[in-house]
């Protein structure tokens, strides 16, 4: 449900990093794909999400699948425990 800050597209061509069993899922998600010798081939470029759109769960799955995370996880440490002197 977050707003997208950048447009993410996947270029046409062979998708070597994906298993052939993922091809039906990609096709169901709207990508125009075919299998060539067990390697997924994207027939035309596909835009996963556009800048300013609200991200859907399906788009988030595709972003994870193509290793294009849009979120950053940060932690700010306010306190820590010192085991030696047992102080915060």
């Amino acid at each position: 449900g977050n707003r997208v800050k950048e447009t993410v597209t996947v270029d046409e061509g062979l998708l070597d990093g994906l298993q052939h069993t993922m091809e039906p899922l990609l096709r169901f998600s709207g990508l125009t794909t075919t299998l060539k010798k067990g390697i997924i081939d994207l027939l035309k470029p596909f835009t996963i999400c556009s800048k300013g759109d609200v991200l859907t769960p399906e788009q988030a799955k595709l972003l994870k699948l193509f290793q294009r995370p849009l979120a950053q996880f940060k932690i700010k440490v306010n306190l820590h425990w010192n085991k030696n002197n047992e102080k915060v």
Side-chain angles (χ1 to χ4, degrees):
N2 294 329
R3 293 233 178 250
V4 180
K5 295 181 181 179
E6 64 181 89
T7 299
V8 179
T9 59
V10 180
D11 295 329
E12 64 182 276
L14 297 176
L15 305 174
D16 280 335
L18 302 177
Q19 297 178 0
H20 69 280
T21 56
M22 300 300 294
E23 198 263 340
L25 172 70
L26 295 174
R27 214 174 334 114
F28 180 75
S29 298
L31 283 81
T32 308
T33 60
T34 186
L35 282 175
K36 288 186 179 178
K37 297 182 181 180
I39 299 174
I40 300 172
D41 184 25
L42 185 61
L43 300 177
K44 60 181 182 178
F46 182 78
T47 301
I48 297 175
C49 55
S50 298
K51 184 177 180 177
D53 289 348
V54 176
L55 196 62
T56 65
E58 292 79 19
Q59 290 170 324
K61 284 181 187 178
L62 288 174
L63 290 170
K64 183 176 179 181
L65 189 64
F66 286 105
Q67 299 176 356
R68 298 289 307 267
L70 297 181
Q72 292 181 355
F73 181 75
K74 294 181 182 181
I75 256 183
K76 182 179 178 183
V77 179
N78 292 326
L79 300 170
H80 74 279
W81 173 259
N82 188 337
K83 185 178 178 180
N84 296 330
N85 59 15
E86 297 183 357
K87 291 187 179 183
V88 177

